[in-house]
């Protein structure tokens, strides 16, 4: 059934049977696509080209489309943009690209979540997870979660930048939270506070404090003493103070894997798109919010530039997929129209989530998204490279 010119045997590949006699259309129904699609093959057999074809057709259909491209292939980006323009959807197109931050949309890795623990989960998924590294990653998870809880309680936004700055200076976060707590629960606590700070500084100079307190700010230590004096019970303060009580050099060793990751994501132009300044009115680059984008039927291209820095690419991919998984859960519970009160009935199109090179995107967040998002309206076409037989 095959002349051999097609690059393989039809009885192995399942194609080519009709090619010599007539053109045979190959198609997949929308109902079948709801079960997701996985295309496997070796390099150069056309996996990415098939995914591009599906992407173009999905863009023409008018619904929300998300394209994850680990390599950040410019050909895929340009084809997605051309398809959007051809479909009259130029204004729907959003590009996020780690290799081109100056033209990229911005995205806060921790801007959207259903539970505060998701922030630590997203950082944890990008840390080494084999051998002894797994135990240290758990310490890092606990540290990030403590900081995120503290920032949230203070009404502050968590970004890569704020996470890194507070990881380097936990004293400031502890002091700010306790001061807010004392204002609420201990009227008049400021009386004699300066004298207490001076006394603690004097004790430090004499070396009469525990070793773990010798290099800490007197103001932070004074605030801790006031919490004890007024016998204030607070779960967040308890978590912050437990972490604060560790010797700094010892604690830094436990979470040593955390700092390089955060620093990579907070260096140079990439920092501007991963820690967006929401108050900068002069920065016209949009801030990507998946919930708003899907409501508005946007086309989102995501170039991860994994060949340049696989660690950052994995962290960003993991965060975005976790974000989408959390969003799918909210859609399950409340539908995509949650929070809208205009009374307009909406027939939402299904979300087409294209993932090229699935092996590069194999994060903990991808499995539940693929397994459980179908009912929330997500269809997942993906490719995966396999070695030749």
């Amino acid at each position: 059934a095959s002349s051999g010119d097609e690059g393989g045997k039809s009885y192995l590949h399942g194609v080519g049977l009709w090619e010599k006699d007539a053109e045979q259309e190959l198609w997949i129904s929308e109902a079948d696509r709801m079960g997701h699609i996985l295309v496997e093959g070796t390099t150069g057999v056309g996996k990415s080209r098939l995914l591009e074809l599906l992407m173009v057709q999905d863009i023409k259909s008018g619904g929300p489309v998300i394209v994850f491209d680990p390599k950040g292939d410019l050909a895929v980006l340009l084809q997605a943009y051309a398809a959007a323009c051809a479909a009259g959807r130029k204004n729907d197109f959003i590009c996020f690209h780690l290799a081109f931050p100056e033209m990229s949309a911005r995205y806060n890795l921790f801007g959207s979540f259903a539970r505060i623990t998701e922030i630590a989960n997203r950082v944890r998924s990008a840390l080494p997870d084999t051998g002894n590294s797994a135990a240290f990653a758990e310490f890092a998870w606990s540290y990030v979660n403590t900081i995120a809880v503290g920032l949230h309680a203070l009404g502050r936004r968590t970004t890569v930048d704020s996470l890194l700055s507070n990881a380097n200076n936990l004293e400031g976060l502890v002091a700010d939270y306790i001061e807010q707590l004392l204002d609420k629960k201990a009227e008049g606590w400021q009386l004699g506070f300066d004298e207490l700070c001076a006394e603690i500084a004097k004790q430090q100079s004499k070396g009469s404090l525990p070793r773990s307190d010798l290099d800490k700010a007197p103001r932070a230590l004074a605030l801790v003493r006031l919490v004890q004096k007024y016998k204030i019970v607070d779960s967040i303060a308890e978590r912050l103070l437990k972490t604060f009580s560790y010797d700094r050099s010892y604690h830094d060793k436990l979470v040593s894997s955390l700092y390089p990751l955060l620093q990579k994501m907070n260096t140079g132009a990439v920092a501007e798109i991963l820690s967006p300044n929401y108050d900068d009115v002069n920065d016209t680059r949009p801030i990507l919010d998946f919930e708003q984008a899907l409501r508005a039927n946007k086309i989102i291209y995501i170039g991860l530039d994994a060949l340049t820095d696989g660690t950052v690419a994995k962290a960003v991919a993991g965060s975005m997929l976790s974000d989408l998984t959390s969003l799918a859960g909210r859609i399950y519970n409340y539908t995509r129209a949650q929070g809208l009160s205009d009374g307009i009935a909406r027939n939402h199109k299904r979300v087409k989530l294209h993932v090229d090179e699935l092996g590069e995107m194999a994060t903990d967040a991808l499995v539940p998204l693929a397994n459980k998002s179908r009912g929330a309206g997500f269809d997942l076409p993906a490719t995966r490279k396999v070695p030749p037989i």
Side-chain angles (χ1 to χ4, degrees):
S2 172
S3 65
D5 296 331
E6 292 82 0
K9 300 295 184 181
S10 60
Y11 55 80
L12 290 177
H13 296 273
V15 296
L17 182 61
W18 306 101
E19 289 178 1
K20 291 196 297 183
D21 300 323
E23 291 187 4
Q24 176 77 14
E25 289 188 358
L26 299 176
W27 55 274
I28 305 171
S29 69
E30 280 297 306
D32 287 337
R33 288 191 64 183
M34 290 171 64
H36 307 318
I37 300 171
L38 176 61
V39 182
E40 293 187 327
T42 60
T43 301
V45 298
K47 303 184 302 298
S48 296
R49 299 293 80 81
L50 174 59
L51 207 62
E52 287 178 30
L53 178 63
L54 293 172
M55 173 189 72
V56 170
Q57 293 178 347
D58 288 336
I59 289 172
K60 288 181 179 179
S61 74
V65 179
I66 304 172
V67 180
F68 277 96
D69 184 4
K71 297 187 297 290
D73 190 338
L74 279 178
V76 180
L77 167 59
L78 293 174
Q79 184 155 8
Y81 181 69
C85 293
R89 302 182 62 190
K90 178 180 178 180
N91 293 333
D92 289 341
F93 190 80
I94 299 173
C95 173
F96 174 90
H97 207 303
L98 288 172
F100 305 103
E102 66 282 352
M103 57 158 271
S104 171
R106 296 171 289 166
Y107 174 72
N108 181 4
L109 274 67
F110 317 117
S112 178
F113 52 85
R115 293 182 176 86
I116 193 70
T117 52
E118 290 180 31
I119 293 176
N121 289 342
R122 294 176 191 184
V123 175
R124 170 70 176 79
S125 66
L127 294 174
D129 195 22
T130 56
N132 293 332
S133 297
F136 287 101
E138 291 302 320
F139 281 110
W141 183 95
S142 179
Y143 193 40
V144 170
N145 189 56
T146 298
I147 294 171
V149 168
L151 288 171
H152 187 69
L154 287 167
R156 299 174 183 173
R157 201 186 306 271
T158 302
T159 64
V160 174
D161 182 58
S162 67
L163 201 55
L164 179 59
S165 62
N166 283 285
N168 286 323
N169 179 30
L170 186 65
E171 290 180 359
L173 180 62
V174 170
D176 290 347
Y177 182 77
I178 292 179
E179 190 169 326
Q180 175 181 278
L181 192 63
L182 289 169
D183 286 338
K184 293 178 180 178
K185 299 189 175 184
E187 186 177 351
W189 66 268
Q190 298 92 341
L191 295 175
F193 181 70
D194 292 339
E195 291 78 5
L196 178 58
C197 291
E199 176 61 27
I200 291 175
K202 187 176 179 181
Q203 292 174 354
Q204 285 180 321
S205 65
K206 292 181 177 179
S208 58
L209 293 180
R211 181 179 176 183
S212 60
D213 290 344
L214 293 178
D215 60 348
K216 293 175 180 175
R219 176 174 176 268
L221 292 173
L223 288 167
V224 171
R225 289 192 185 183
L226 289 179
V227 169
Q228 297 166 346
K229 173 185 176 181
Y230 288 103
K231 298 180 180 179
I232 295 174
V233 178
D234 181 87
S235 60
I236 297 175
E238 183 178 343
R239 294 167 69 174
L240 285 168
L241 293 180
K242 182 178 180 181
T243 305
F244 179 66
S245 66
Y246 293 137
D247 178 83
R248 180 60 193 246
S249 60
Y250 168 73
H251 188 264
D252 282 350
K253 291 177 183 178
L254 294 179
V255 298
S256 58
S257 60
L258 174 65
Y259 297 111
L261 172 65
L262 296 179
Q263 287 166 357
K264 281 186 176 182
M265 295 189 292
N266 201 49
T267 301
V270 171
E272 296 179 6
I273 62 173
L274 296 183
S275 293
N277 183 355
Y278 290 78
D279 299 323
D280 186 358
V281 296
N282 295 317
D283 194 336
T284 58
R285 292 172 295 181
I287 298 177
L288 175 59
D289 181 294
F290 282 113
E291 184 171 356
Q292 293 180 9
L294 297 191
R295 281 179 175 176
N297 290 330
K298 295 295 184 180
I299 303 161
I300 306 168
Y301 170 87
I302 299 165
L304 295 170
D305 195 25
L307 293 175
T308 301
D309 194 328
T311 302
V312 173
K314 181 180 179 182
V316 173
S319 179
M320 287 183 167
L321 291 170
S322 294
D323 201 346
L324 288 168
T325 302
S326 178
L327 175 57
R330 295 198 297 275
I331 292 173
Y332 261 118
N333 293 331
Y334 309 112
T335 79
R336 205 191 301 168
Q338 63 161 321
L340 300 179
S341 57
D342 52 18
I344 300 174
R346 290 174 172 80
N347 183 21
H348 292 294
K349 291 181 176 292
R350 296 184 67 82
V351 180
K352 304 301 184 182
L353 177 61
H354 296 255
V355 181
D356 198 9
E357 299 289 358
L358 192 66
E360 298 283 346
M361 299 284 294
T363 68
D364 292 340
L366 183 60
V367 175
L369 183 62
N371 284 345
K372 301 175 183 177
S373 64
R374 176 178 176 272
F378 286 74
D379 296 338
L380 178 66
T383 69
R384 186 169 73 97
K385 185 185 299 183
V386 296
I389 299 175

